[in-house]
Amino acid sequence: MKLNSKIPDGNISEKWSRYKATCNLVSPANKRKLDIVVVGSGLAGASAAAALGELGYNVKVFCYQDSPRRAHSIAAQGGINAAKNYQNDGDDVYRLFYDTVKGGDYRAREANVYRLAELSGNIIDQSVANGVPFARDYGGLLDNRTFGGAQVSRTFYARGQTGQQLLLGAYSGLCRQINKGTVKMYSRRDVLEIVIIDGKARGIITRNLITGEMERHFGHAVVLATGGYGNTFYLSTNAKGSNASPIWKAHKKGALFANPCFTQIHPTCIPVSGEHQSKLTLMSESLRNDGRIWVPTIKGDERKPNEIPENERDYYLERRYPAFGNLVPRDVASRAAKERCDAGYGVGTSKLAVYLDFADSIKRLGQNVIEDKYGNLFQMYEKITAENPYKTPMRIYPAVHYVMGGLWVDYELMTTIPGLFALGECNFSDHGANRLGASALMQGLADGYFVIPYTIGNYLSNQIKVKRISTDAPEFVETEKAVKNEIDKLFSIKGKRTVDDFHKHLGKIMWDNCGMSRNEERLKKAKVLIKELEQEFWKDVKIPGELNELNPELFKAGKLIDYFELAQLIVKDALHRNESCGGHFREEYQTGDGEALRNDDDFRYVAAWEYQGKDNEPVLTKEHLEFKDIELKQRDYK
């Protein structure tokens, strides 16, 4: 398949303005004739639905939660980036653009990243207008803090609950449109398939999670805003319901999947405590502003942290990366923590943890200042661990958090299926091989509030004459039939092992062999193990309950089927990319001091995979990346 990224001509600072000035528009009268399906109601989905409803389109929004307010965006803690330069510390749009491309280890598309940086200030203005209670300084101006991968303060925040407050802002806009009648909300719906008619996305098949009833919904265009696929690893910081099924179904219908192996490991997660856990809890990256990360200088040190004197502490990030210290990007900080633990310097009962210590900041600023900044995060840590982080350092360790890979999209955020768009984390476009902290919220809201209203209009301007297609059309009927057949097949197995048992096994295979570091031998091993486990699943999985009722095991089983297939593509992508970059660390390709070693001559491209059927190997299509506005060089945070 030939890829066309549709990047506008001209200077990078003029591309988005030029696009907006020349794209096709839809008149207000014609917008009322057009239906748009939005799957997902997090920041990207809610903001897109609110913006599109405000424009006058007929919008249907679907989520598996009981309310959009429960979308996983609510879990984002630390903040949202924007190049406002309120601190007068040297920030501007270009510097945010540069930091993002560099932080992604030069594997992102320049034009998309610049647009993101360019729109960042608009997001803050929109959110303030929506009533988001950002932190403010003594004079009443919006406050900022620093985040990993940057040397300026550009992160706007609302204590440790920025995602929740931003989501409530987008939700208020969504509710306004629901009340006006331009948006119709469908909660507790599981999206099971994309409907393609004459090569274009024209709707979806859903299952009512309460009644089990199958439903068909038409749209002149379909927008996916479903988040990432980190739960492929079972233990991650994602909500348990977060899943990859809509984008995987789209992939199997013809949407190319880009850079699936680019998985982010977050450095500040509460460590695994036992086999009982179903997910992990994140401690915000913002804590690295005032917390110092260290390990003992003695291997296997069993002393309590407050008993270890200063001269026997290794502040290894400050030692290795003096220019950025504790605020190096997430992939760098995660690998450094793993290296110290693997070398025998880990702490805690498992020895798979390092300390995040606030003693110096509390002494310098006072505990009341730290409480004002991070109080709810400290409270959450104490409830989970029964340890007071004001008195003793937090214990943290890296964990799966975010994925940079996703559906391939062009500059208009449209996939390789006409009429199918992907916003936020479920597309690949903005973060390269590693996302900088506080950029996920930025991308979701930029895509929803400011990009998709223009780009979907450019597409729909040619769809005005398309009348609403009946959901009794053969394509809808056949797609629903295929979905029912797969569900019937699941119920017919009547095995002995639970879905969670299989999912845990898959997660361990992925974490051990395709996690924070990979090599050819382990990746080939994972390829075999995943296939064997998938085959065992289809022989021995147990789905209790009935179809036409609330059945969480059926919901989880459907997601796991897609995780099995996606995991194999992740491994294949990791095997083919013979370099290290960002979150993809191949042990065979590293510098003398253990840093990621890119191969720009052979791998300076987006790897977009085309589905060829269950028993056939996917086909690789390359989108070569050009760097005209940023010098291509090895990252250095020292």
Side-chain angles (χ1 to χ4, degrees):
M1 184 179 293
K2 187 175 182 180
L3 298 177
N4 179 9
S5 59
K6 300 181 187 175
I7 298 173
D9 295 330
N11 188 286
I12 196 167
S13 63
E14 300 171 354
K15 290 182 185 296
W16 181 234
S17 296
R18 179 172 297 185
Y19 178 89
K20 291 190 294 181
T22 57
C23 67
N24 295 323
L25 303 177
V26 180
S27 71
N30 284 329
K31 288 188 177 81
R32 293 193 292 271
K33 302 175 184 177
L34 296 168
D35 300 339
I36 300 174
V37 168
V38 177
V39 182
S41 61
L43 284 181
S47 60
L52 295 171
E54 184 73 39
L55 288 171
Y57 294 106
N58 301 301
V59 184
K60 294 181 178 180
V61 185
F62 298 82
C63 69
Y64 69 82
Q65 301 95 341
D66 61 348
S67 166
R69 290 173 299 173
R70 295 187 184 276
H72 184 57
S73 300
I74 202 172
Q77 299 166 344
I80 177 171
N81 288 330
K84 286 283 195 179
N85 195 32
Y86 283 168
Q87 271 64 36
N88 197 29
D89 57 358
D91 199 17
D92 62 10
V93 168
Y94 183 86
R95 191 175 293 276
L96 175 53
F97 162 59
Y98 173 83
D99 286 346
T100 305
V101 173
K102 177 185 176 182
D105 218 353
Y106 303 91
R107 289 295 177 261
R109 186 191 289 154
E110 275 193 341
N112 287 64
V113 179
Y114 192 91
R115 177 175 64 187
L116 177 64
E118 186 180 3
L119 291 171
S120 63
N122 296 356
I123 299 168
I124 303 304
D125 297 339
Q126 174 79 20
S127 299
V128 170
N130 280 346
V132 174
F134 286 122
R136 295 179 180 268
D137 63 19
Y138 181 76
L141 298 177
L142 297 183
D143 200 8
N144 290 131
R145 55 191 178 200
T146 50
F147 249 65
Q151 292 178 308
V152 296
S153 294
R154 63 161 68 102
T155 303
F156 295 77
Y157 65 98
R159 297 190 76 185
Q161 51 184 235
T162 313
Q164 179 183 17
Q165 298 303 328
L166 287 169
L167 184 61
L168 290 174
Y171 176 69
S172 67
L174 178 63
C175 287
R176 180 173 183 270
Q177 297 309 312
I178 293 172
N179 188 56
K180 287 178 64 177
T182 61
V183 173
K184 188 170 183 180
M185 187 73 222
Y186 295 83
S187 59
R188 286 298 191 185
R189 297 311 198 277
D190 185 15
V191 176
L192 299 177
E193 192 57 274
I194 312 295
V195 178
I196 308 295
I197 300 178
D198 295 331
K200 296 180 175 63
R202 293 299 191 198
I204 58 174
I205 304 296
T206 68
R207 178 178 177 271
N208 186 314
L209 288 172
I210 304 298
T211 67
E213 180 184 3
M214 293 291 182
E215 301 169 344
R216 310 168 191 169
H217 297 274
F218 165 79
H220 289 90
V222 176
V223 175
L224 300 182
T226 54
Y229 48 89
N231 276 342
T232 306
F233 292 78
Y234 187 73
L235 285 180
S236 80
T237 66
N238 286 223
K240 283 301 294 178
S242 296
N243 65 87
S245 287
I247 61 171
W248 189 253
K249 301 299 187 186
H251 173 58
K252 294 175 75 171
K253 285 292 182 74
L256 268 60
F257 209 111
N259 298 337
C261 78
F262 287 168
T263 306
Q264 180 168 86
I265 312 297
H266 198 294
T268 54
C269 182
I270 297 178
V272 176
S273 60
E275 291 293 323
H276 63 284
Q277 283 183 275
S278 62
K279 74 177 300 296
L280 298 173
T281 303
L282 180 70
M283 288 287 100
S284 170
E285 180 174 315
S286 62
L287 295 171
R288 290 198 276 153
N289 276 287
D290 291 301
R292 300 179 70 192
I293 296 173
W294 62 276
V295 293
T297 58
I298 300 173
K299 289 185 178 182
D301 199 324
E302 296 293 339
R303 290 175 293 176
K304 295 179 179 179
N306 293 333
E307 296 174 352
I308 301 175
E310 190 71 16
N311 64 347
E312 294 181 22
R313 299 181 178 190
D314 177 16
Y315 296 93
Y316 58 88
L317 291 179
E318 299 171 33
R319 168 173 57 81
R320 292 179 60 175
Y321 310 102
F324 282 74
N326 295 296
L327 290 174
V328 291
R330 292 174 176 179
D331 61 316
V332 177
S334 294
R335 284 195 296 274
K338 182 179 186 298
E339 184 276 329
R340 289 290 79 193
C341 291
D342 288 350
Y345 298 96
V347 301
T349 55
S350 69
K351 300 303 179 185
L352 290 176
V354 299
Y355 289 127
L356 178 59
D357 194 340
F358 291 85
D360 285 355
S361 294
I362 291 173
K363 182 178 180 180
R364 185 179 76 254
L365 302 172
Q367 183 171 321
N368 61 322
V369 174
I370 300 301
E371 287 177 353
D372 287 342
K373 283 185 175 183
Y374 313 112
N376 60 311
L377 296 171
F378 278 55
Q379 182 184 43
M380 182 166 62
Y381 180 88
E382 185 169 8
K383 283 190 174 183
I384 293 172
T385 66
E387 296 176 0
N388 183 348
Y390 294 107
K391 303 297 183 182
T392 188
M394 292 182 179
R395 288 175 292 106
I396 57 170
Y397 193 70
V400 173
H401 177 57
Y402 187 93
V403 292
M404 288 69 65
L407 293 182
W408 184 93
V409 293
D410 59 23
Y411 189 74
E412 297 182 313
L413 304 184
M414 188 158 69
T415 69
T416 47
I417 298 175
L420 181 67
F421 296 80
L423 315 186
E425 188 180 358
C426 74
N427 75 35
F428 87 99
S429 67
D430 290 11
H431 305 298
N434 173 66
R435 176 177 66 79
L436 290 186
S439 289
L441 307 184
M442 178 173 62
Q443 185 201 357
L445 292 178
D447 287 355
Y449 279 138
F450 301 111
V451 179
I452 197 64
Y454 283 95
T455 62
I456 203 170
N458 190 55
Y459 170 76
L460 290 174
S461 65
N462 295 317
Q463 303 297 309
I464 295 168
K465 295 181 180 179
V466 177
K467 295 181 180 179
R468 291 184 174 95
I469 300 172
S470 170
T471 55
D472 291 327
E475 292 85 353
F476 277 94
V477 174
E478 291 167 8
T479 304
E480 181 182 321
K481 183 179 179 181
V483 168
K484 286 183 176 179
N485 287 341
E486 184 168 85
I487 292 175
D488 290 341
K489 183 179 178 182
L490 274 173
F491 273 107
S492 70
I493 298 171
K494 302 186 185 305
K496 297 179 181 178
R497 292 179 63 182
T498 66
V499 176
D500 280 347
D501 187 29
F502 278 106
H503 198 172
K504 284 181 181 180
H505 194 166
L506 174 64
K508 182 169 176 52
I509 293 171
M510 291 296 291
W511 179 251
D512 290 346
N513 300 289
C514 193
M516 216 182 315
S517 64
R518 304 101 185 254
N519 62 43
E520 183 177 6
E521 180 183 357
R522 292 207 307 273
L523 288 169
K524 288 181 176 179
K525 176 183 176 183
K527 188 176 180 180
V528 174
L529 292 175
I530 294 167
K531 193 68 177 176
E532 291 176 349
L533 185 64
E534 182 186 30
Q535 293 170 349
E536 180 66 19
F537 170 87
W538 285 108
K539 294 177 182 177
D540 199 29
V541 71
K542 178 181 178 63
I543 309 294
E546 301 296 333
L547 171 61
N548 296 318
E549 65 179 11
L550 179 63
N551 192 330
E553 292 303 304
L554 176 60
F555 176 82
K556 292 189 292 186
K559 307 311 153 197
L560 184 54
I561 291 170
D562 299 324
Y563 287 141
F564 279 129
E565 296 179 354
L566 175 54
Q568 293 173 64
L569 186 62
I570 292 172
V571 169
K572 184 172 184 64
D573 190 44
L575 261 173
H576 111 276
R577 190 172 282 276
N578 292 323
E579 65 165 353
S580 291
C581 56
H584 169 65
F585 190 75
R586 283 283 297 269
E587 295 168 1
E588 305 96 322
Y589 309 101
Q590 55 182 299
T591 64
D593 51 359
E595 304 295 342
L597 183 61
R598 294 195 323 269
N599 179 350
D600 293 329
D601 292 336
D602 298 322
F603 293 95
R604 191 178 65 194
Y605 58 74
V606 176
W609 298 92
E610 183 179 0
Y611 186 75
Q612 296 292 306
K614 177 69 175 173
D615 298 320
N616 300 314
E617 290 292 313
V619 172
L620 173 63
T621 301
K622 302 175 183 178
E623 179 197 347
H624 290 276
L625 296 170
E626 296 184 2
F627 294 90
K628 298 179 180 178
D629 292 271
I630 291 179
E631 180 186 358
L632 192 63
K633 59 184 179 181
Q634 287 293 324
R635 287 192 300 172
D636 184 5
Y637 292 98
K638 298 178 181 180

